[in-house]
Amino acid sequence: MQTLQITPFTLSVASIFFMKLLSSLLPIIIIASLIAIAIGFGIYYEKKRREALAKVAADLGLEFFPQGIPGLLAAIQGFTLFSSGRGHSVTNTIRGLTDDVELTIFDLTYTVGSGKNSSTHRQTIVRFASSRLSLPEFVVSPEGFFHRIGKLFGVKDINFDEDPQFSSSFLLQGPIESAIRQMFGPAVREWFSHRQGITAAGRGTQMFFFRASQRMNADKIPGLLEEGFGFFKLVAAPAGDEMPPSS
């Protein structure tokens, strides 16, 4: 039986071939390693965030649902403000119920664009659903943030000549201007003028409140909730009363 002779020349050729193969695969190995590290870090971060949110919910005496609750995604997709993009999902939901208010705090994730131009957005939102609300359809946001927000309703920004500070700081829009002007009286405009970066939207018995393009850290949730309740109290009927339907 003939044995294979391994000569220095054979070793040299094999070594050169191996080095060339390794050099060609090195970028792929580096990229794959970085992707694996990023995925691992993301999984770890999301796990720690869920744990922190669960603790916040417990401290507030509320329920926590890591994967969201049935019907919530459908409820928000009925609003023009949340209709852009694709692949919408709701996670990390904190919920509380009283006789006349359902409170939910959740993370909304969606993607806009496609291919190399796609980007994923994550947003923490506070939602109030209550018979004490009877709101015209509206969106109020920091001036300049929704620079294309006019396309949502196809109408102009609603300004108040008597309140130039509010009008220069916020975009206020909706299809029924008279009802929105009545809703945004002096007290509501004054409340918003002391808060930067706030966006709110609503219609009928639902209202949404958030800081645009921000997924809030768990320790900031109580503050966001407190702000949301402040606005809710301004536009809702007193406890025990139900508001008539908005015109």
Side-chain angles (χ1 to χ4, degrees):
M1 181 177 180
Q2 188 176 8
T3 60
L4 177 65
Q5 297 293 324
I6 300 177
T7 66
F9 175 76
T10 304
L11 289 174
S12 177
V13 171
S15 177
I16 293 172
F17 174 78
F18 177 77
M19 293 303 295
K20 286 185 177 180
L21 178 63
L22 181 62
S23 64
S24 65
L25 293 177
L26 187 59
I28 298 175
I29 294 172
I30 292 175
I31 292 173
S33 298
L34 291 174
I35 292 174
I37 292 171
I39 292 174
F41 178 79
I43 292 172
Y44 174 79
Y45 174 80
E46 291 299 328
K47 178 176 180 294
K48 300 301 289 185
R49 188 168 188 274
R50 283 195 302 271
E51 291 173 353
L53 289 171
K55 184 179 184 304
V56 168
D59 291 344
L60 295 173
L62 305 174
E63 298 177 285
F64 180 64
F65 302 87
Q67 301 305 319
I69 56 178
L72 181 55
L73 182 59
I76 68 172
Q77 287 182 322
F79 285 79
T80 308
L81 182 63
F82 305 119
S83 63
S84 63
R86 55 187 168 78
H88 293 73
S89 64
V90 168
T91 56
N92 296 326
T93 302
I94 297 173
R95 182 176 68 173
L97 300 171
T98 67
D99 289 341
D100 54 15
V101 180
E102 178 188 8
L103 164 72
T104 45
I105 309 165
F106 58 92
D107 289 341
L108 173 67
T109 302
Y110 62 96
T111 301
V112 296
S114 60
K116 294 181 179 180
N117 297 320
S118 66
S119 59
T120 299
H121 298 262
R122 296 176 176 86
Q123 173 76 62
T124 301
I125 298 173
V126 178
R127 169 182 174 262
F128 296 93
S130 174
S131 59
R132 293 166 57 190
L133 294 172
S134 183
L135 305 174
E137 186 170 6
F138 77 95
V139 176
V140 58
S141 63
E143 185 80 44
F145 177 76
F146 285 116
H147 57 278
R148 296 191 299 270
I149 201 169
K151 295 180 181 179
L152 296 179
F153 296 110
V155 295
K156 64 178 183 178
D157 181 17
I158 299 172
N159 292 313
F160 295 85
D161 293 337
E162 69 276 21
D163 197 341
Q165 179 183 350
F166 174 85
S167 296
S168 63
S169 300
F170 290 92
L171 272 169
L172 175 60
Q173 295 193 308
I176 308 176
E177 182 173 340
S178 59
I180 293 172
R181 286 186 177 278
Q182 182 178 357
M183 174 184 170
F184 277 79
V188 173
R189 299 198 305 269
E190 175 72 13
W191 188 88
F192 268 93
S193 293
H194 290 291
R195 289 162 178 83
Q196 300 300 316
I198 292 296
T199 296
R203 183 183 66 222
T205 59
Q206 293 191 78
M207 185 182 78
F208 302 90
F209 186 89
F210 55 94
R211 291 188 174 274
S213 297
Q214 290 187 25
R215 192 168 72 151
M216 307 293 289
N217 291 334
D219 61 341
K220 303 295 184 183
I221 294 294
L224 181 67
L225 182 57
E226 183 178 359
E227 285 185 315
F229 264 115
F231 183 46
F232 174 84
K233 291 175 182 177
L234 282 174
V235 298
D241 295 340
E242 293 190 3
M243 296 188 71
S246 58
S247 57

